[in-house]
Amino acid sequence: QLHLVETGGGLVRPGGSLRLSCEASGFRLDYYAVGWFRQGLGKEREGVSCMRSGSYSADYAASVMGRFSSSRDNAKNTVYLQMNSLQPEDTGVYYCAVDASGNCEGDAGMDVWGKGTLVTVSS
């Protein structure tokens, strides 16, 4: 069974930091492209970052460039999203998803999705 679980969401004040985790079961994350997405209330889902299979660097949306970073821990079969300098505009449900092609092809190309974890940035 292919399964993804996101953890680490919560309430944080503006300027604070959170680290999200995406743990995979039933497959090895290093064989897949791994993307992070988010969706705010009343907004469309948008891509946050994506890391191709065989790569340890990621591409980022312009809105999070320089503030967010993703990393991979193969021993734990887990991908992380470190989020710094959080602002209210970052509020939303964050999802991780994987693409069996190994390429970052956007939402439609993702094969397995987690259920999401809520991040709320508020004073």
Side-chain angles (χ1 to χ4, degrees):
Q1 303 287 355
L2 278 60
H3 189 63
L4 296 171
V5 177
E6 305 98 332
T7 58
L11 175 65
V12 64
R13 296 186 182 279
S17 298
L18 285 173
R19 188 177 73 162
L20 306 183
S21 298
C22 177
E23 300 179 15
S25 299
F27 65 102
R28 299 298 303 181
L29 278 176
D30 53 317
Y31 299 153
Y32 293 76
V34 182
W36 286 95
F37 302 83
R38 68 185 182 187
Q39 186 168 24
L41 184 62
K43 299 180 179 179
E44 295 182 349
R45 185 169 59 197
E46 63 177 343
V48 174
S49 69
C50 192
M51 181 181 296
R52 294 175 172 81
S53 64
S55 175
Y56 292 90
S57 63
D59 296 323
Y60 300 92
S63 59
V64 305
M65 187 76 70
R67 298 189 297 121
F68 291 10
S69 63
S70 63
S71 60
R72 188 199 309 269
D73 187 335
N74 288 333
K76 295 182 179 180
N77 208 28
T78 298
V79 170
Y80 303 97
L81 182 67
Q82 178 68 44
M83 305 184 296
N84 300 321
S85 301
L86 284 163
Q87 299 300 314
E89 305 88 84
D90 297 313
T91 294
V93 178
Y94 283 69
Y95 303 89
C96 66
V98 298
D99 186 344
S101 76
N103 297 317
C104 296
E105 300 176 333
D107 299 26
M110 295 297 173
D111 301 297
V112 182
W113 291 79
K115 293 182 178 180
T117 185
L118 177 63
V119 172
T120 302
V121 185
S122 176
S123 60

